[in-house]
Amino acid sequence: MTIQWFPGHMTRARRQIEEKLKLLDIVIELLDARVPMSSRNPMIDEILRGKPRLIILNKADLADPRATDRWISFFSAKGHAAIAVDSSTGTRVADIPQRVKELLHDKIARMKEKGMNPRAMRALIVGIPNVGKSTLTNRLAGRNIAATGDRPGVTKGQQWIKVGSELELLDTPGILWPKFEDELVGYKLAMTGAIREQILNMEDIAFFAVRILASQYWEALAERFELTEAPQDTEDSEQIVKLMEDIGRKRGCLLSGGRVDLEKVSGIILRELRAGKMGRITLEEPLL
Ligand code: G4P
């Protein structure tokens, strides 16, 4: 999905979520486990205004599991429950309703005390484009994708999707914008494929990717592209370009005259990185 975010779109996106908050017991904030900070909306705390929240680190199958554990501890230390899932296969998705129930334990207990039959808890999934909102919704809904009908106060046509007997999801997830102001964030999102459009030059993104991989995941990079010589200094741009050229030669990306076709090799590097072909990689660590 390609979205050009202008101030008007951001205001509308924010308002759409704020209007739904009163209908919800909890918000499910979806982040990309490879870039948990860069895939986070910069205004999320302001928008959710203290509404109970479960953070989901999605695409955990593509992220470094040790880094994912560190991120879960980081969010817990900040008072946010967080779990890692892979929505594409459904791994750990089944834990979500249970975690929601735990987080809303007091609310459910109060309802019971008042003699009310505890109803299903109502949730909205929010996140930036391509983080996996639809995939997770479909996983959670399973065969129950049939909606449960309109409710008072909800925009006409707004449907709730049943997830077992204790959780209901609003059928349209909340789409939020990422942090654009930081160029580094833009590169990281482009590396994961969250930004698909040609806002950033592909060779620049691949250069940035190779620099990160060479400094943090050299073995994975070397193994994938049969590289033997690690760069001495990954801050030296020439050494990174040389690595890209080595990769290009290995993959036969040559122009007439024997020069390496950097555009072509950039495409290969990014495609393979996004598909997890270099193993499980996390591009940012929590600042503890
Ligand atoms: P959105 O609603 O938040 O915009 O995201 P959506 O569910 O459409 O997911 C975006 C892409 O991410 C989809 O790939 C989807 O299959 C993939 N995806 C979602 N969750 C996971 C996950 O946990 N692990 C992995 N590995 N992939 C996940 P797609 O439509 O095929 O697009 P693309 O692969 O061509 O980028």
Side-chain angles (χ1 to χ4, degrees):
M1 185 195 305
T2 298
I3 298 182
Q4 294 280 0
W5 291 99
F6 296 109
H9 296 145
M10 295 184 186
T11 311
R12 202 170 324 122
R14 178 179 179 155
R15 202 179 330 113
Q16 278 172 357
I17 292 176
E18 284 173 342
E19 277 167 7
K20 289 170 185 160
L21 279 183
K22 59 182 181 305
L23 307 166
L24 306 170
D25 299 296
I26 192 162
V27 169
I28 295 176
E29 182 190 359
L30 209 52
L31 304 178
D32 185 321
R34 296 166 296 174
V35 281
M37 267 303 139
S38 296
S39 59
R40 212 158 191 223
N41 175 268
M43 299 179 79
I44 190 72
D45 289 340
E46 241 177 86
I47 296 171
L48 300 188
R49 289 194 224 110
K51 180 67 77 180
R53 185 187 331 180
L54 175 61
I55 292 178
I56 308 272
L57 296 171
N58 193 39
K59 309 197 185 185
D61 55 307
L62 299 174
D64 181 338
R66 286 157 308 174
T68 300
D69 286 344
R70 288 192 285 274
W71 277 107
I72 288 175
S73 307
F74 168 82
F75 285 120
S76 305
K78 296 215 171 280
H80 293 307
I83 57 172
V85 311
D86 165 6
S87 299
S88 62
T89 60
T91 306
R92 303 221 40 207
V93 166
D95 293 354
I96 294 174
Q98 181 57 30
R99 292 304 296 266
V100 165
K101 205 171 152 185
E102 282 164 24
L103 284 169
L104 297 175
H105 174 268
D106 290 353
K107 183 169 192 165
I108 296 169
R110 276 198 304 277
M111 288 165 95
K112 281 187 185 156
E113 266 169 33
K114 286 184 193 160
M116 293 158 77
N117 258 342
R119 55 170 174 75
M121 293 293 105
R122 294 171 191 150
L124 172 69
I125 295 177
V126 302
I128 65 169
N130 285 317
V131 70
K133 298 179 294 299
S134 315
T135 312
L136 178 62
T137 302
N138 290 335
R139 275 281 158 202
L140 279 169
R143 302 164 121 256
N144 295 322
I145 198 82
T148 57
D150 290 357
R151 284 183 197 279
V154 186
T155 318
K156 201 164 165 35
Q158 186 97 63
Q159 306 277 314
W160 295 86
I161 298 168
K162 267 185 171 304
V163 182
S165 58
E166 295 177 336
L167 183 63
E168 288 180 359
L169 284 181
L170 263 183
D171 69 342
T172 325
I175 303 172
L176 286 166
W177 63 95
K179 298 175 203 168
F180 294 112
E181 61 278 12
D182 183 344
E183 196 189 30
L184 217 62
V185 169
Y187 279 117
K188 286 183 192 164
L189 291 175
M191 279 172 70
T192 61
I195 297 178
R196 286 171 205 223
E197 61 265 68
Q198 299 300 319
I199 291 178
L200 297 164
N201 174 290
M202 192 166 66
E203 284 174 40
D204 289 346
I205 304 166
F207 174 89
F208 184 85
V210 170
R211 172 173 274 167
I212 290 197
L213 293 168
S215 62
Q216 293 171 33
Y217 293 95
W218 168 251
E219 281 175 17
L221 185 71
E223 193 184 332
R224 181 75 196 164
F225 297 112
E226 298 165 351
L227 305 168
T228 46
E229 220 179 306
Q232 300 289 315
D233 177 9
T234 53
E235 288 306 306
D236 177 355
S237 301
E238 273 180 32
Q239 293 190 32
I240 301 300
V241 172
K242 187 180 163 301
L243 259 186
M244 290 174 73
E245 288 171 346
D246 286 352
I247 296 171
R249 273 188 287 271
K250 296 274 183 200
R251 291 299 173 95
C253 305
L254 296 175
L255 296 164
S256 57
R259 273 189 308 120
V260 172
D261 185 341
L262 278 178
E263 192 181 335
K264 192 167 175 196
V265 72
S266 295
I268 291 176
I269 293 167
L270 291 176
R271 237 184 348 270
E272 299 197 2
L273 174 68
R274 288 171 186 160
K277 294 280 198 300
M278 279 165 242
R280 301 172 69 177
I281 284 169
T282 298
L283 301 174
E284 54 196 15
E285 287 288 330
L287 295 170
L288 295 169

